[in-house]
Amino acid sequence: MTTTETNKPTEMAKAYDSSTVEQRIYEMWERGGYFKPRVDPDKKPFTIIQPPPNVTGELHLGHALTSTIEDILIRWHRMKGDPTLWMPGLDHAAISTQNVVERELAKEGISRHDLGREKFLERVWEWVNKYRHVITDQHKRLGVSADWDRIVFTLDPQVTKAVRTTFLNLYNDGLIYRGERLINWCPKDGTALSDLEVKHEEVAGHLWYLRYPVLKDGSESEVEPGEFFVVATTRPETMVADTAVAINPASERWLKYRGRRVLLPIVDRPIPVIEDEAVDVAFGTGALKITPGHDFNDFEIGQRHGLPVLNGMTLDGHLSEVAGPYEGVERFAARAAIVSQLGREGLLEKVEDYTTSIGHCDRCNTIVEPLISTQWFVKMEPLAKEAIRVVRRNQIRIVPDRFYATYFQWMENIRDWCISRQIWWGHRIPVWYCADGHMFAAIEDPTTCAECGSTAIEQDEDTLDTWFSSQLWPHVTLGWPDKTKDLEYFYPTSVMETGYDIIFFWVARMIMIGLYNTGEIPFEWVYLHGMVLNKDGKKMSKSKGTGVDPLPVIDKYGADALRFVLAAGGGPGNDMRLSDQKLEGGRNFANKLWNIARYVISTAANSPPSPGAERASRSQSRLGDSGGELGDAGGRLQSRSARGELALEDRWILSRATQVAGEADHFLSQFLINEAAQRVRNFVWDEFADWYVEMSKVRLREGDQSPIPVLREVLDTSLRLLHPFMPFVTEEIWQNGGAASGATEPLIVAEWPTIESGKVDEEAEAIVEIAIEIVRSIRNTRAEKGVEPGRWVEAHIQPRPAEDWIALRSGLVGRQIDMEAALQKLAPVMSYLARVKPLHLLAPGEAPPTGEVVTSVLSGAIVTLPVGGLFDVEAERARIAKQVAEAEDELSRLKSKLGDANFRVKAPKEIVAHEEARLASVQSRLEGLRGQLDQLG
RNA sequence: GGGCGAUUAGCUCAGUUGGUUAGAGCACCUCGCUUACACCGAGGGGGUCAAAGGUUCGAGUCCUUUAUCGCCCACCA
C-alpha cells in the first residue's frame, strides 16, 4: 500500500529536485519495514556488518563511500531475493570521544580530573546521547538501508559482556598478560598507545654531538682532562636517563675507552661504556648513548647488558626527578636548555641538520614518547597463526587481491598488542586487585577476591583500546556470547567492506578474534575500498579538519548524485578524488533519468491504451516466461509478430537492455561496482535516451502506440538496474508510474533483472546498429557541409553485402538477412533522425546518383547525399582518398597478420576466422571506395 | 631499509581472464532553445597508454630495469 497506484502519474517536475523527494522516499521505506531481512531458513543470507562510525559525529565523504558501496551490495542482494541483513553500529571511539568532551570542558575552564571519573563519564554519556542520532541521520540522508532497529553501540551491555568474556578467556589462556614494557605514550592524551596508533612522520631536526667526559679509573667524579666520549643524538633531553654508552667491538676509534666509565653531564652520573654489535660504526660518531627508558633499540640493548632503566620523563611530557636541575621542565624546552648548557660547558661538539622519522599520536598528532610503563598486552602470535591459515586456504578472500600481501606481511611479523589505555571512556579492564596482592579477571563485577575472599578489592583503573571491542563486531552484533538464532543464521557474515586504511586496526583483528571466539571465520569476503581525496588529491582527515561533510553535498547535488559519483568514480581499492565537476555530472544523470521517465510516463498516459500494447507489455514483463515461446532462430520473427508486432528497434533495445542487465549483475558479483555503474549509465543515456527514445517518436507521431510498452519496459528495467546506485530518484519515478505494470511493491524490493536469453536478439542489434551508423554518417555530412539543421535533404542508401558484417558477428554466422527489407522497415526512423526526405532505398545493382554528391561507404551501406551547390570535387576527392588510405592501411595490416604462418597456427581459430572476416569486409569496402573515387574522375 | 599503488586525451579516471582502429565524464571547437531534458541535443578535434628492454602469432594488459609522485610497514641513534 506504500506504492503506487502505479499508473496514475502525478505531474512530474521539469527537473529532478532531490530535496523534495529524498526524505519522503526514505520514510516510506522505513515505514514499510523493507530494511529488515526477510528470513528464509532455506536461503543463504547476505549479511554486511557496518563498520561502526565513531560517535564523535563527524561523518565525512569516506563514510559516504563506505555506506554507498555497502548499500549498493545490500540493495542488489535484497532485489535478488536474498535474505539480506545490514547490521548498523556505533563505536564509542575511546580516545577520540574523550578528547572531544575534554575540549568541551576546556572551554568551561575545567579538566576531567576536576570532575572525577564518575562525573566525567556522565558528561561523555550526555554528549554521546546528544550526538549519536546525528550519525544515524546522516546515514539516512545517504539512503543507507540498514536495519536500524538492530543498531548496536560498542558500550551496550551485550558488548560489555562479550568484551569481558573475551578478556577472561584470553586471560585464562595466557594470551593476555600484564607487564612493564616500553610503550608508546601520548603525553597530551595521557595514555599508552598501540603501535598502530603511532604514525611515523619525517621531521626536519638536528643531530647533536654530545661530549661525555671520560672518568678516571675508579673515580666517581674525576674526569680525564680533555678526554671525551662523543655520541650523536636526535633527542638530547633524553640523556638524563642514559644508563650507558655503547661502542661496537669492531670500532677502532673508541676501543681505548672499553671497560671505562664516562660522567653523564648535567646530572653528573657515572655510566659504563659497553660493547654491542648493534652499534653502527658508520653512523654519527660510531658510538651510541643508551637510554633504555626512552628508546626501543636502547631498551633491547639494555636488556642484553642488564642495564638499569631510568624514567626521565613524567606522564605529561616533563622531565622527571632523574633530570636533576631540569626536573619539571617541559621536554622540548628542556631539550633547548640542555643543549644550551652543554654548549656553554664546551660539551657540544657540533650540530648537524638531520631529518628523522618521529612517531605522532594518531588521534591528536602529539609527538609520542617511548616510556616505560606497566600495561596490559595481548599475545598475538598464536591468534595470528590461525588467521593466516584461513586466508591462505581461501576461506576468506580479499578484494582487491593486492592486499593479501599486506595482510600476510603484517600478520607474519605481528607484535603484541598493548590494549590498556589510561583514559576513562571505554570498557574498563575487567581485572580486580585485592589488598593482599591477588589479581583476577571476571565477567560479572565481583564483590570478593576470587583467590582469598577479601572484600577489599579494586578494579583496574584503565580502559581497553577501542579496537578491543570493535574486533568482536561481526559476532557480538549478532548476539555472541549467547547462542542466538541470529548468530546461527547470519554468521559467518558475507562481506566485510571497509577502507584499506584499517586492515590492521580492524579487519585483521576481527579475523583473529572471530576465530578465537567462535571457531569460525567472521566473514567470507573482505572488500577494501580506497580513500576519498579532496580535489587536490589530499586525504581527508578528521584530526586535521579536512574532512568534507556529506550533508551540504547532498543538499546541493542530491544523495543519488553523490552516490553515483562515489560508485562509478574509481576502481576497487583505488583512491578517488571528488570534485564539484563530478558531482554535477552525477546530478545531471539523475536529471536525465528523470526526464526519460517523464517522457515515457507522460507519453503512456496521454495515449489511449490499446489491447495489443498491453499484451506486449505483459509478455515482455520479466515476470512472464517469455523465453519459451521464442524458439529457435528460424521461428523468431514469426513468434515475435505473434507477440504484438515488435519493430526492429524494439527488439534492439530490449535485447540491449537484457544484455546490460547481465553485464551489471556479472560486474557486481565481481565487486566491480564502478564497471556496473558505468555500463548501466551508458546504456540508459547513450542507447535508451539518445537513440531508442528518439526512434520511438517516429511511430508515436503517426499515432502508432506500439513503442509504449517497450518504452515502459526498458524504463522499468533501467530503474531496477540503477536502483542500488541511485535509490531515491529511481524509487520516486517508480512510484510515479515508472514500473512497467502490475507493480504492487516498491522498487526497493522489486526483482533484480538478469539476462534473459530469449530476449537477446543479435540480428536486431546488428541491423539497428547499421541504421544508426547510417544516421550518424548523414548527420556528419550535413554538419560538414553546413546544411541547416531544419532542412530536409535527399539521400540514397544502398545496402552492402550482408555477408561482410554477418561474418563479423559470431551469433549471426550462417544467417540469411534481407537487408533491403530490414532497412525499408527502418526507413522512417532513419528519415526522421537524419532529417532526410526523400530517402531512396536502392535495390541491389541499382546505381546511386553521381555528380554533385557526397558518398560514404559504411560497413553496412553506401550512403549518397546529393549536395548540389555545396559540392566541392576537390574536398570530396580528398575525403574519399583519406578513407581509401585508411582502408588500405587496415588491409595491409590484416594481410600481413593473416600471412603470418605463426599467427594461423598459434592463434585460436575464432580469432583467425574473425580476422579473415575483417579482411573480406575491408576489401569489399575498399572496392566501394575506389569506385567512388573513379566516378569523381 | 622493505612492500604496495599510480603514471592512459587539456583535467579526473575506466579499461573485467593479453585478441578489431584504446574508452568515458568534464573541458575545448562548430551548430541547434525540434512539444522528456540547455542539469539538453547533433557533429568534431584531441592519446607514440611514463621510459627502455623482454616474453608472445599478438602487449595499455604479463616479466625485468629505470624515472617521477603517493601510500603502508620497519627500532638505525
Side-chain angles (χ1 to χ4, degrees), chain A residues 791 851-854 865-872:
Chain A
R791 202 171 116 200
E852 297 185 325
V853 298
V854 173
L865 270 118
V867 290
L870 297 171
F871 184 70
D872 176 343

Side-chain angles (χ1 to χ4, degrees), chain A residues 210-213 236-242 263-270 289 319-327 329 334-348:
Chain A
L210 312 184
R211 291 174 168 164
Y212 291 180
E237 71 280 9
T238 63
M239 63 156 295
V240 299
D242 284 1
L263 187 65
L264 198 57
I266 310 283
V267 293
D268 291 336
R269 183 157 45 77
K289 69 194 263 303
L319 296 203
S320 71
E321 72 285 351
V322 163
Y326 292 98
E327 177 178 0
V329 180
R335 173 180 298 178
I338 286 173
V339 165
S340 151
Q341 182 183 339
L342 292 173
R344 282 195 308 274
E345 296 178 359
L347 298 176
L348 183 62

